[in-house]
Amino acid sequence: MERDVDYLAKYRNISNKLKKRFLRKPNISEVVDEFASLSKEFEKQECFHYAGYCCLAMARCQQTLLNQQGEIQSLVSASRMFLAAHRSDGCLLSCGLNEHLLASANCMSHAVRTAANAKQPALAASLATQMGEAFASQGDYPQAQTWYGQSAELSFQSPLDCAECLRRVADCQIAQKHYEEALTTFTEISVLAQERGQPMGAFASLMARTEVCRLLLVLLTYSATGTTQRLRPEYAAILERYRNWDSPPMSRQPPASCVPRQLYVLLQSLAMAVTDNDRVALRETRGMLIGHLDNLQTVILEQLVEDYFHPTL
């Protein structure tokens, strides 16, 4: 920060303009512009938390003007500035208590509530997703899961967006090794998709990914117990579907029909190897499956193989 400029005095001078004068109302719009200008100066000096405070002051002014869009925009800007401050602290190896990250989350939470109250659920959901991504990038998956869950609730008008948010929730659950919770979430996605009838386009791709994850998670649960009796009926049905070699790939119904034929056959082989306790087949099938799975599915498969060859007592 430049030493010859008293930024604190600038902030106070702008704030003083909001005080009521005798027979004179404050020009709030002018104050908003001045806070915006000061915020940009702080940002250029990489004093992100001070820039965040200026954005918060702008949000309060916009609230006074009953300008909900301006208030939301200012709150989002404040959140991003505090998040930038948090990341700057990380680069400097600061020993703070994540106060800037918490400030960022509080600002975004206020922005989400304001957008929801303004009957803009899509905007509120988008903001919640952004905050979830911020926490996920920090490795804070419990907080990310909470934000993604909130985004899913706000995406009720768009089933595809809701399903995508639930997919992010499941990703966080798997990162925390909460596999049964992830299986429940993927099942919720599957039900949501099937309610739309024959899946097409983006929904078909999502259904295929969900179906593969569900089977892998069912196998992971099965490997821990060694029996289908402890599986919920709908999960046992998934396992039986893939163990049934008499059911040709061409006769499949959704959601299994969304899975590419070659991948479906490999998943059948995987299900047979696990349930038949065939270690050689499991190792061979794993090698062939890897090229057909995304990163998350690969994580589940590797955990399945690890638990199978090195079971925990």
Side-chain angles (χ1 to χ4, degrees):
M1 185 181 295
E2 297 178 3
R3 295 183 179 181
D4 56 342
V5 179
D6 191 345
Y7 289 100
L8 182 58
K10 278 190 173 185
Y11 184 91
R12 287 174 177 170
N13 290 336
I14 298 172
S15 298
N16 286 334
K17 293 182 179 181
L18 292 172
K19 295 180 180 179
K20 292 183 179 180
R21 307 290 183 182
F22 181 68
L23 297 178
R24 180 183 174 187
K25 292 183 179 180
N27 188 337
I28 300 179
S29 297
E30 178 184 339
V31 172
V32 169
D33 293 339
E34 292 187 17
F35 272 129
S37 177
L38 183 58
S39 174
K40 291 180 180 179
E41 290 187 44
F42 280 130
E43 186 177 358
K44 288 180 181 179
Q45 299 292 330
E46 296 187 356
C47 298
F48 300 113
H49 59 298
Y50 289 138
Y53 290 132
C54 291
C55 292
L56 274 179
M58 291 166 57
R60 288 192 292 269
C61 292
Q62 298 287 13
Q63 185 180 42
T64 302
L65 294 171
L66 302 180
N67 182 359
Q68 287 184 319
Q69 288 302 118
E71 182 183 1
I72 293 170
Q73 183 177 355
S74 297
L75 287 168
V76 171
S77 296
S79 177
R80 289 173 178 168
M81 288 298 101
F82 285 125
L83 183 60
H86 172 76
R87 289 171 174 164
S88 178
D89 288 346
C91 294
L92 296 174
L93 300 178
S94 173
C95 298
L97 298 176
N98 291 335
E99 65 271 17
H100 292 143
L101 182 59
L102 294 176
S104 176
N106 288 335
C107 292
M108 191 63 81
S109 180
H110 191 178
V112 169
R113 286 197 305 271
T114 303
N117 292 336
K119 301 187 185 305
Q120 300 182 63
L123 174 59
S126 175
L127 296 177
T129 298
Q130 290 179 35
M131 202 66 231
E133 292 172 346
F135 276 107
S137 68
Q138 300 291 321
D140 191 342
Y141 296 109
Q143 284 292 335
Q145 179 182 331
T146 298
W147 282 95
Y148 288 142
Q150 184 179 5
S151 181
E153 293 176 1
L154 291 165
S155 300
F156 59 89
Q157 294 180 337
S158 173
L160 182 58
D161 290 341
C162 180
E164 177 61 24
C165 292
L166 288 173
R167 193 271 303 170
R168 292 171 182 262
V169 169
D171 289 356
C172 292
Q173 291 167 335
I174 290 172
Q176 300 171 76
K177 297 190 175 182
H178 296 166
Y179 299 117
E180 292 186 7
E181 293 180 12
L183 180 54
T184 299
T185 302
F186 276 121
T187 299
E188 187 177 351
I189 297 173
S190 181
V191 171
L192 179 65
Q194 291 184 69
E195 288 177 349
R196 292 178 55 85
Q198 184 66 29
M200 300 179 62
F203 253 117
S205 299
L206 181 63
M207 281 287 289
R209 185 179 190 274
T210 299
E211 176 72 2
V212 174
C213 290
R214 289 178 76 199
L215 175 64
L216 293 173
L217 289 167
V218 167
L219 290 174
L220 191 58
T221 303
Y222 174 87
S223 68
T225 61
T227 177
T228 59
Q229 295 180 354
R230 296 185 181 182
L231 293 177
R232 288 167 54 177
E234 58 266 38
Y235 300 156
I238 295 173
L239 186 56
E240 287 303 318
R241 179 164 66 238
Y242 284 89
R243 290 176 59 186
N244 184 11
W245 282 100
D246 296 330
S247 176
M250 297 302 294
S251 65
R252 294 173 291 155
Q253 298 295 322
S257 61
C258 298
V259 180
R261 183 173 181 177
Q262 184 178 5
L263 176 57
Y264 183 86
V265 173
L266 289 173
L267 291 173
Q268 282 186 307
S269 300
L270 180 67
M272 293 293 292
V274 172
T275 55
D276 291 346
N277 198 27
D278 189 337
R279 296 194 172 196
V280 175
L282 177 58
R283 187 178 289 108
E284 292 177 352
T285 304
R286 171 198 169 278
M288 292 184 288
L289 261 175
I290 290 295
H292 297 270
L293 304 180
D294 60 27
N295 292 336
L296 181 69
Q297 293 164 349
T298 301
V299 168
I300 305 173
L301 177 62
E302 295 296 352
Q303 186 64 54
L304 170 63
V305 174
E306 175 69 19
D307 288 357
Y308 191 86
F309 286 98
H310 305 285
T312 56
L313 300 178

